[in-house]
Amino acid sequence: MLTRERIVETAVELLDSSGDGALTVRALTTRLGTGPGAIYWHIGNMDELLVAAADAVITAALTTPRDEAATTEPNEAATTHPDRAATTQPDRAAATPQDEIRAIALGLFDAVAEHPWLAAQLALQITRNPWGPVTLRIFESIGRPVSTLGVPEADWFTTTSTLVHYLLGATAQTSQSDETATRTEAGRAEFLATASKAWRDLDPDEYPFMRAIADQMREHDDREQFLTGINLVLTGITTLHQPPIDP
Amino acid sequence: MLTRERIVETAVELLDSSGDGALTVRALTTRLGTGPGAIYWHIGNMDELLVAAADAVITAALTTPRDEAATTEPNEAATTHPDRAATTQPDRAAATPQDEIRAIALGLFDAVAEHPWLAAQLALQITRNPWGPVTLRIFESIGRPVSTLGVPEADWFTTTSTLVHYLLGATAQTSQSDETATRTEAGRAEFLATASKAWRDLDPDEYPFMRAIADQMREHDDREQFLTGINLVLTGITTLHQPPIDP
DNA sequence: GCATGGCTTGGAGCGACGTTCCAGTATGGA
DNA sequence: TCCATACTGGAACGTCGCTCCAAGCCATGC
């Protein structure tokens, strides 16, 4: 029996294994041993399928407890800390709101790193339908800890927007689409060296700044830089909204 | 005579007038009164044409002096402040680096608002080719004032990245793709009211935060919120990098 | 003046895509 | 047993990016 879930699942598999352009109706039909009519009975649209695929992966990334280690058996991790396990998101509690935000952001960052097609999809869906299910979910996840951050309620929307926008921009650029090259450690090092050299060879009149930071480009780590950016925004938030008078 | 510039120019016209999906090779051929072979003689690829179109618009947005008023005759504005006029970008000088960054960011924001197709293109190109000409130009423009901000040179890359990533994420989401509806003032108000109501009707268990900020959604202004976000990041930067010891 | 050879053009056509249409099958209730 | 409804998969349509190629253009050398 063909179900919407099975189609979405297969779509994600296709995207994961063969990249952006691999998700075609024809590829789905062969993989599922069926015809286009069957697929369009369950799914109205190719775009709708892409939204569903992205939503599935994002939802998984947002609800999975961020344990940094347990990737195969999340239940096992849950038994490690059996108290506190009643909440929706088992671990992660007992941390500062800042820690929560960092954890969620890193979860999304890693999800995009694991599913390179997700970067383009996120970007596209956010421009085409700014408040689709994907944006909504991310906003809610980031907004919840923001509301416990001490920010006045009137600024919740703007503050969360800033965080989410940074997060989306950063994941968009940092998703190595050049898969094969950047998959390995050596390939990534080579990529960085090449880019760094390209910047150094730019026109000094037109690109003085890029030339100045070419070295930093070669030595930087995407994930670390992402976290630094999050911390920068968090610092801005706490600086603006809670003056140094400590209770 | 057909030239690459003429093709790019026509491509921008097509995109501006008829939106995202209007730029096809066939549309170009009819508009230019030629055939596909002629076009592919000057342009290697459809993607390459899209990059060129985006680059053209972005470059224009980054080099135009941001005078908020003078759109037709930039030279006139230059005479207003005749000193300092020797730099590449006539006015804008004599301001703080923060002002410069705000001006550049708003310039990009307005460019995306004026060319709605640009949002999706920026997002796509940045994920597909993170250091293409468009990203490079934006990075250089933002990075230059950042380097005069008092941030230690070792942090220039990360700091500029944070600003650019926020900027890209914000413009991506804030580009009303739903053109006709949001073009007019009334249409936009209706759009906001509808979205706000949709948030209020969400499941209280799953989306408590979105429900809490539904009102702020209805009353917010995109451009203003964008600026607030920029200021938030700028505050984070100055807070982290120059301790309150004032010279 | 004229032939030559390299740019440049535009039309025909190829393969692949998303999508629709529809004849057919299965299944569960009357 | 019959039938309505849910579902399937193959054929086909229109459009897309792109390639191929015969013809045109035009400056140069003879």
Side-chain angles (χ1 to χ4, degrees):
Chain A
M1 174 88 145
L2 199 57
T3 65
R4 185 186 158 97
E5 284 82 37
R6 226 158 71 77
I7 296 176
V8 173
E9 195 180 324
T10 312
V12 173
E13 286 173 20
L14 271 169
L15 289 167
D16 281 345
S17 63
S18 310
D20 242 328
L23 180 57
T24 69
V25 177
R26 281 163 173 83
L28 272 178
T29 58
T30 50
R31 182 99 154 203
L32 289 167
T34 179
I39 288 180
Y40 279 96
W41 177 261
H42 295 276
I43 260 120
N45 208 315
M46 192 70 211
D47 282 350
E48 187 186 316
L49 177 56
L50 280 166
V51 171
D55 195 31
V57 176
I58 291 289
T59 304
L62 287 176
T63 48
T64 300
R66 313 249 89 259
D67 269 335
E68 200 75 357
T71 49
T72 50
E73 192 53 47
N75 286 347
E76 192 181 345
T79 55
T80 313
H81 305 282
D83 34 26
R84 286 263 184 200
T87 57
T88 315
Q89 292 159 13
D91 264 359
R92 183 194 299 177
T96 68
Q98 281 93 342
D99 286 339
E100 283 192 56
I101 291 170
R102 274 187 283 262
I104 296 166
L106 277 181
L108 287 172
F109 185 89
D110 292 341
V112 173
E114 207 170 341
H115 311 274
W117 53 272
L118 198 58
Q121 271 311 305
L122 276 180
L124 266 186
Q125 290 178 26
I126 279 155
T127 58
R128 286 217 249 259
N129 180 10
W131 296 112
V134 177
T135 322
L136 219 60
R137 242 182 262 282
I138 297 177
F139 238 80
E140 176 72 26
S141 297
I142 298 287
R144 248 183 287 204
V146 164
S147 65
T148 67
L149 209 52
V151 176
E153 183 165 353
D155 294 321
W156 284 1
F157 182 39
T158 298
T159 304
T160 307
S161 289
T162 308
L163 272 167
V164 171
H165 288 158
Y166 166 71
L167 191 155
L168 292 174
T171 54
Q173 201 196 14
T174 316
S175 71
Q176 276 51 269
S177 54
D178 193 357
E179 308 204 24
T180 50
T182 51
R183 216 60 153 179
T184 67
E185 193 68 32
R188 166 131 192 90
E190 190 185 353
F191 170 79
L192 290 179
T194 307
S196 173
K197 185 171 183 320
W199 290 6
R200 190 160 292 295
D201 293 343
L202 286 170
D203 178 3
D205 289 335
E206 209 172 351
Y207 292 102
F209 179 75
M210 297 312 281
R211 283 165 53 91
I213 61 171
D215 285 343
Q216 300 171 40
M217 163 66 175
R218 190 175 56 247
E219 288 157 15
H220 92 289
D221 174 80
D222 280 334
R223 218 178 114 104
E224 191 184 341
Q225 194 181 61
F226 175 71
L227 246 184
T228 307
I230 290 277
N231 286 334
L232 211 61
V233 180
L234 284 174
T235 303
I237 293 171
T238 50
T239 303
L240 275 186
H241 288 303
Q242 40 195 26
I245 302 121
D246 228 335
Chain B
M1 173 89 145
L2 200 58
T3 64
R4 185 187 159 99
E5 285 82 38
R6 227 157 72 76
I7 296 176
V8 172
E9 194 180 322
T10 312
V12 173
E13 285 173 22
L14 272 169
L15 289 167
D16 282 344
S17 64
S18 310
D20 240 330
L23 181 57
T24 69
V25 177
R26 281 165 174 80
L28 272 178
T29 59
T30 50
R31 184 98 155 201
L32 289 168
T34 178
I39 288 180
Y40 279 98
W41 175 260
H42 296 277
I43 258 113
N45 209 315
M46 192 69 210
D47 283 348
E48 186 187 316
L49 177 56
L50 280 166
V51 170
D55 194 30
V57 176
I58 291 289
T59 304
L62 286 177
T63 48
T64 300
R66 310 252 90 256
D67 270 333
E68 202 75 0
T71 49
T72 50
E73 192 53 49
N75 285 348
E76 192 182 347
T79 56
T80 313
H81 305 283
D83 35 28
R84 285 256 187 204
T87 56
T88 314
Q89 293 158 14
D91 261 2
R92 186 193 296 176
T96 68
Q98 280 93 342
D99 287 337
E100 282 193 58
I101 291 170
R102 274 187 283 263
I104 297 166
L106 277 181
L108 287 172
F109 185 89
D110 292 340
V112 172
E114 207 171 339
H115 310 274
W117 54 272
L118 199 57
Q121 270 312 306
L122 275 181
L124 266 187
Q125 289 178 27
I126 278 153
T127 58
R128 286 217 251 261
N129 181 9
W131 296 112
V134 177
T135 323
L136 218 60
R137 243 182 261 281
I138 297 177
F139 238 81
E140 175 73 27
S141 297
I142 297 288
R144 249 183 285 201
V146 164
S147 64
T148 68
L149 209 54
V151 176
E153 182 164 354
D155 294 322
W156 283 1
F157 182 39
T158 298
T159 304
T160 306
S161 288
T162 308
L163 272 167
V164 170
H165 288 159
Y166 166 71
L167 192 155
L168 292 174
T171 53
Q173 200 197 13
T174 315
S175 71
Q176 275 51 270
S177 54
D178 194 357
E179 308 202 24
T180 51
T182 51
R183 215 62 152 176
T184 67
E185 194 67 33
R188 166 131 191 90
E190 191 186 351
F191 170 79
L192 290 179
T194 308
S196 174
K197 186 171 183 321
W199 291 5
R200 188 159 295 296
D201 293 343
L202 285 169
D203 178 3
D205 288 334
E206 210 172 348
Y207 293 102
F209 179 76
M210 298 311 283
R211 283 167 52 91
I213 61 171
D215 285 343
Q216 300 171 39
M217 162 67 175
R218 191 175 55 246
E219 289 157 16
H220 92 289
D221 173 81
D222 280 334
R223 218 177 113 104
E224 190 184 343
Q225 195 181 62
F226 175 71
L227 246 184
T228 307
I230 291 276
N231 287 333
L232 210 63
V233 180
L234 285 174
T235 303
I237 292 171
T238 51
T239 303
L240 275 186
H241 288 303
Q242 42 195 26
I245 300 122
D246 228 334

